């Protein structure tokens, strides 16, 4: 059975075991601040993958053990085409690779009907209307090992998933920042009002002196 993947971003970083053999039958993206580990279900002994870059591809069985593979690669029309052949007859497990992402933002296309799971970095969150949220809204949100997990159970055709994330304390810090700005604005407004009153007082005293001089 052949598995064909099209991926549009570069990554050449060693792949960790990730979420292996946990029963999720879809594509998983485990995020760090600047890259994502991708885990894709695989069933067969030969797999075709196409990337616009060179990448390390690893195969794991359903128990999480790495399966030895032979990899053939060719370059054609700006893409690297990989043929990954397992040294075992049949493998039911996952293919792993990594891809870079924008700083604290992850964007990908989901294939129709294939579940997508996005695991945020530890200590990060999403959902604030100002700091960033996930679009479209995920069908499920879980907390696993202190990490926020977003799940789209059945995306529509070519759904664009866009997730902006931030440190968990960022909303509180942002609120304090806004309060500080409001306080400073109030201080400036008060100083401006006091200055106007002082100017009016000086002008009034000058007018009174002029009137007194005119009477003499």
């Amino acid at each position: 059975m052949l598995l064909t993947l099209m991926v549009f971003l570069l990554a050449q970083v060693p792949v960790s075991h990730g979420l292996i053999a946990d029963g999720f039958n879809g594509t998983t993206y485990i995020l760090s601040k600047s890259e994502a580990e991708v885990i894709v279900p695989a069933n067969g002994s030969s797999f075709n993958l196409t990337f616009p870059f060179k990448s390390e591809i690893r195969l794991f069985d359903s128990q999480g053990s790495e399966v030895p593979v032979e990899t053939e690669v060719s370059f054609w029309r700006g893409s690297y085409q990989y043929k990954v052949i397992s040294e075992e007859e049949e493998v039911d497990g996952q293919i792993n690779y990594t891809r870079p992402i924008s700083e604290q933002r992850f964007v990908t296309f989901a294939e129709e009907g294939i579940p997508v799971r996005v695991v945020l970095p530890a200590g990060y969150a999403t959902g604030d209307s100002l700091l960033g949220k996930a679009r479209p809204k995920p069908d499920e949100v879980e907390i696993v090992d202190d990490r926020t997990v977003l799940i789209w159970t059945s995306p529509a055709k070519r759904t664009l998933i866009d997730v902006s994330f931030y440190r968990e304390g960022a909303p509180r810090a942002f609120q304090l920042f806004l309060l500080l700005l409001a306080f400073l604005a109030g201080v400036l407004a008060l100083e401006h009002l006091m200055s106007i009153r002082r100017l009016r007082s000086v002008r009034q005293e000058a007018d009174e002196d002029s009137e007194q001089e005119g009477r003499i």
Side-chain angles (χ1 to χ4, degrees), residues 184-196:
L184 292 176
V187 170
L188 291 175
L190 181 59
E191 288 184 351
H192 180 66
L193 180 61
M194 296 295 291
S195 296
I196 292 176

Side-chain angles (χ1 to χ4, degrees), residues 49 51 53-55 57 70-76 79-84:
L49 304 98
F51 303 93
F53 52 83
K54 286 186 176 181
S55 181
I57 302 166
E70 293 183 3
T71 303
E72 301 175 1
V73 59
S74 60
F75 185 79
W76 189 67
S79 297
Y80 292 91
Q81 300 180 348
Y82 289 85
K83 185 171 185 179
V84 181

Side-chain angles (χ1 to χ4, degrees), residues 78-191:
S79 297
Y80 292 91
Q81 300 180 348
Y82 289 85
K83 185 171 185 179
V84 181
I85 302 173
S86 167
E87 294 185 4
E88 299 181 5
E89 290 186 0
E90 195 80 11
V91 176
D92 183 10
Q94 286 96 3
I95 284 177
N96 285 35
Y97 61 92
T98 58
R99 51 170 282 185
I101 64 176
S102 301
E103 184 71 14
Q104 297 184 207
R105 185 182 182 189
F106 173 72
V107 179
T108 190
F109 277 105
E111 297 299 328
E112 183 177 9
I114 298 179
V116 172
R117 175 172 58 181
V118 176
V119 183
L120 301 186
Y124 283 77
T126 188
D128 186 270
S129 58
L130 294 177
L131 298 178
K133 59 193 334 182
R135 297 182 178 87
K137 183 179 179 181
D139 300 306
E140 300 176 18
V141 179
E142 302 175 349
I143 302 297
V144 179
D145 296 331
D146 295 327
R147 301 182 70 165
T148 300
V149 179
L150 313 175
I151 300 174
W152 290 263
T153 56
S154 184
K157 185 176 181 180
R158 298 296 287 174
T159 296
L160 178 66
I161 293 177
D162 186 346
V163 180
S164 295
F165 52 98
Y166 48 82
R167 289 194 177 276
E168 290 179 344
R172 169 92 176 150
F174 187 63
Q175 289 174 358
L176 292 175
F177 176 71
L178 292 180
L179 289 174
L180 178 60
L181 286 181
F183 174 75
L184 292 176
V187 170
L188 291 175
L190 181 59
E191 288 184 351

